[in-house]
Amino acid sequence: SQELEQSPQSLIVQEGKNLTINCTSSKTLYGLYWYKQKYGEGLIFLMMLQKGGEEKSHEKITAKLDEKKQQSSLHITASQPSHAGIYLCGADDTDKLIFGTGTRLQVFP
Amino acid sequence: DTGVSQDPRHKITKRGQNVTFRCDPISEHNRLYWYRQTLGQGPEFLTYFQNEAQLEKSRLLSDRFSAERPKGSFSTLEIQRTEQGDSAMYLCASSAGQLGEQYFGPGTRLTVT
């Protein structure tokens, strides 16, 4: 079965700093999704990537899917306290999503 | 439409009791998913419906768990004879068909004492 590994597991950055979160799959990715979760709440959809080499941006968040479609990265530029939360990558697995374990991001002033 | 809603938000129950959770998806969405999330982990798939048909169930879904989606609208997830290991956040999501863009509800946090 497909597994997703995220790194780092936890990240603490100072406001204004850039950061990157990685998601590596044990199999080829046919659809990779990034979600954000505030503690104790539901998930908020951020972006979806499907093609090798694809890159998408929304405000200060950029996500990329590598050419081999086995790894994705999420980059946040000039982090703000509002970026704090848990970032989860998810992958298509025959009519359902499987998720990584998440990366907990804390941003301090 | 205000998005996916779940009720209750929190449930504390004693071991052995039955509990039922409700999910109301976004009205035009034909797919509805249930996930379970424990602390420090990503959500794990439990089951999903397309309209009223339950199309897949995870092996995580023991015979104590049952889900329904009558008339293809809201869904219920029932856990019978709860165990402490059932303590988790139960998340519901809906989509209009394209797999990845699932819209999640706020979840129901279950604590079994």
Side-chain angles (χ1 to χ4, degrees):
Chain A
S1 61
Q2 188 171 19
E3 292 184 355
L4 297 177
E5 185 175 330
Q6 286 187 238
S7 63
Q9 290 185 330
S10 179
L11 202 50
I12 303 174
V13 300
Q14 187 174 26
E15 184 176 358
K17 297 294 186 185
N18 303 337
L19 63 105
T20 300
I21 298 168
N22 294 303
C23 175
T24 302
S25 174
S26 58
K27 296 183 180 180
T28 300
L29 292 161
Y30 293 101
L32 188 285
Y33 311 91
W34 284 100
Y35 286 84
K36 179 184 176 185
Q37 185 177 30
K38 291 281 192 182
Y39 180 73
E41 298 181 9
L43 280 63
I44 299 169
F45 174 77
L46 295 175
M47 278 174 277
M48 175 176 67
L49 303 165
Q50 291 183 300
K51 300 176 183 176
E54 187 174 8
E55 179 175 321
K56 287 187 177 178
S57 294
H58 177 67
E59 297 180 343
K60 294 184 179 180
I61 301 176
T62 300
K64 300 178 185 180
L65 182 61
D66 76 347
E67 290 288 345
K68 294 183 179 179
K69 296 173 66 175
Q70 282 200 266
Q71 188 169 40
S72 178
S73 61
L74 185 84
H75 184 78
I76 298 177
T77 303
S79 58
Q80 301 170 353
S82 61
H83 288 128
I86 301 168
Y87 289 83
L88 292 151
C89 62
D92 281 344
D93 185 23
T94 317
D95 283 343
K96 61 184 178 290
L97 286 178
I98 60 164
F99 287 92
T101 53
T103 295
R104 181 180 292 274
L105 172 64
Q106 295 174 264
V107 181
F108 65 94
Chain B
D1 193 296
T2 55
V4 179
S5 61
Q6 291 186 246
D7 184 68
R9 294 291 307 276
H10 303 274
K11 179 71 177 179
I12 300 173
T13 191
K14 292 184 178 179
R15 189 176 56 186
Q17 297 294 304
N18 299 343
V19 293
T20 300
F21 309 142
R22 177 180 171 124
C23 171
D24 287 88
I26 293 172
S27 56
E28 62 268 27
H29 285 182
N30 61 350
R31 287 196 171 194
L32 187 149
Y33 303 82
W34 285 99
Y35 294 87
R36 181 172 70 186
Q37 186 178 27
T38 53
L39 200 61
Q41 300 296 315
E44 295 175 294
F45 170 79
L46 292 178
T47 188
Y48 92 95
F49 294 83
Q50 179 153 317
N51 300 314
E52 66 274 12
Q54 188 173 17
L55 296 186
E56 187 173 343
K57 293 192 290 186
S58 164
R59 50 190 167 84
L60 291 176
L61 215 65
S62 75
D63 56 5
R64 296 185 298 107
F65 288 70
S66 62
E68 294 183 342
R69 193 184 182 195
K71 303 179 183 178
S73 55
F74 71 91
S75 176
T76 57
L77 178 68
E78 181 184 15
I79 309 174
Q80 296 182 327
R81 304 182 303 281
T82 53
E83 302 173 354
Q84 286 189 320
D86 297 331
S87 296
M89 174 78 89
Y90 289 84
L91 294 163
C92 174
S94 70
S95 73
Q98 187 167 7
L99 175 59
E101 295 188 46
Q102 295 183 16
Y103 294 82
F104 282 77
T108 294
R109 182 169 294 283
L110 173 66
T111 302
V112 181
T113 62

